[in-house]
Amino acid sequence: MPTPVTLPDPWARSAVSVVVPTYNEADNLPVLARRLLDLELPELRLVVVDDDSPDGTGKVAEEIAAEYNTPGRERVAVVHRTAKEGLGRAYVAGMSRALDDGAEFVVQMDADLSHPPGYVPQLLGTALSTGAGVVIGSRYVAGGSLSQEWRAHRRLLSSWANSYVKTILALPIRDVTAGFKIWRRDALEAVDLASVSSSGYSFQVEMHYRAFARGRKMVEIPIHFEDRREGVSKMDLAVQMESALRPFRLKAAERRDRGR
């Protein structure tokens, strides 16, 4: 786990919301919440978006909120959704809630502890120092790395997916499928969350593509990507198919927009 950088005031007091979608993450969520809320970022808020997890993750999230929230100061918000509609829909709900609550910056990360919370201050500091609209925690820039527990086929699949998407969409970043990043408020507003159509992991690609198409500055910093701590991956065949087809649909939509 990286040692978090210490940001100076007023940077450390930026209004940051961390959006974490959950589905069956009851064991991981308390660990993640503690690590995030212990960071030297006093205005950091955690937004948990739970898709009616059968393992009781939603109840665990409410218990965490009760522990950390005090009268007049909400550090943990919980969004309960009644159906499992996919990662993209959960992120849209959580990011919309964060913006409604006044966030200046919005972090997105997984609940499975594959994204070390210690990188959050560095993501924020990079956004503030570079003026970037989005800062991506990248596995594929110099200094980035993958867990040693990732087997060869997972590494090859991830590398192929990035090359595939970059070839089709010509995105100027190396980790186009990254899910750990921080957004400026105005960048998210420009992306227009309400019109994002991806429901699965292709949400990451669509968000990067929209930010690039709208001229937002994109910066990557190296991270070490951990293997998930508990539970199993949600990447089923339907999700993989959506992810494979999404770049073509984004290109087709771009051509239609240009023809108007």
Side-chain angles (χ1 to χ4, degrees), residues 29-244:
L29 186 59
V31 179
L32 177 64
R34 184 179 69 252
R35 291 180 183 176
L36 284 168
L37 295 167
D38 282 350
L39 293 171
E40 294 182 27
L41 299 173
E43 301 303 319
L44 182 145
R45 296 175 71 251
L46 173 61
V47 180
V48 179
V49 185
D50 186 65
D51 277 3
D52 197 24
S53 298
D55 75 341
T57 303
K59 181 175 183 293
V60 171
E62 291 291 355
E63 292 169 351
I64 294 169
E67 176 183 354
Y68 282 96
N69 293 346
T70 57
R73 189 173 187 229
E74 183 186 66
R75 297 208 69 195
V76 180
V78 185
V79 178
H80 293 282
R81 286 157 35 91
T82 58
K84 188 174 184 289
E85 298 177 325
L87 184 72
R89 298 297 89 207
Y91 265 127
V92 167
M95 290 173 157
S96 299
R97 171 65 182 269
L99 294 178
D100 288 345
D101 289 346
E104 299 171 4
F105 295 90
V106 178
V107 175
Q108 57 175 103
M109 65 189 302
D110 291 344
D112 60 11
L113 301 176
S114 59
H115 299 149
Y119 287 113
V120 170
Q122 188 178 353
L123 289 168
L124 175 60
T126 303
L128 286 163
S129 62
T130 64
V134 56
V135 179
I136 300 163
S138 178
R139 298 161 290 183
Y140 300 123
V141 294
S145 58
L146 287 165
S147 169
Q148 293 298 316
E149 296 177 17
W150 268 43
R151 295 182 179 179
H153 76 278
R154 290 184 69 187
R155 292 173 181 268
L156 286 171
L157 178 61
S158 178
S159 177
W160 177 85
N162 271 275
S163 298
Y164 169 79
V165 172
K166 283 190 293 184
T167 299
I168 297 169
L169 298 179
L171 287 170
I173 54 177
R174 295 184 65 85
D175 198 345
V176 296
T177 60
F180 188 21
K181 67 202 80 167
I182 188 169
W183 294 85
R184 280 184 180 271
R185 180 186 187 88
D186 63 353
L188 277 183
E189 291 172 340
V191 161
D192 186 17
L193 287 169
S195 67
V196 172
S197 58
S198 299
S199 59
Y201 285 84
S202 60
F203 172 80
Q204 313 296 0
V205 172
E206 182 171 356
M207 291 290 283
H208 289 150
Y209 185 67
R210 283 172 171 249
F212 173 62
R214 288 157 177 77
R216 287 319 194 249
K217 183 176 181 178
M218 308 170 77
V219 173
E220 293 179 270
I221 65 169
I223 66 162
H224 175 68
F225 184 88
E226 298 284 357
D227 201 16
R228 66 175 295 120
R229 173 173 163 168
E230 300 285 350
V232 297
S233 172
K234 283 69 170 185
M235 180 72 84
D236 59 20
L237 180 59
V239 170
Q240 292 178 46
M241 289 299 296
E242 185 209 9
S243 299

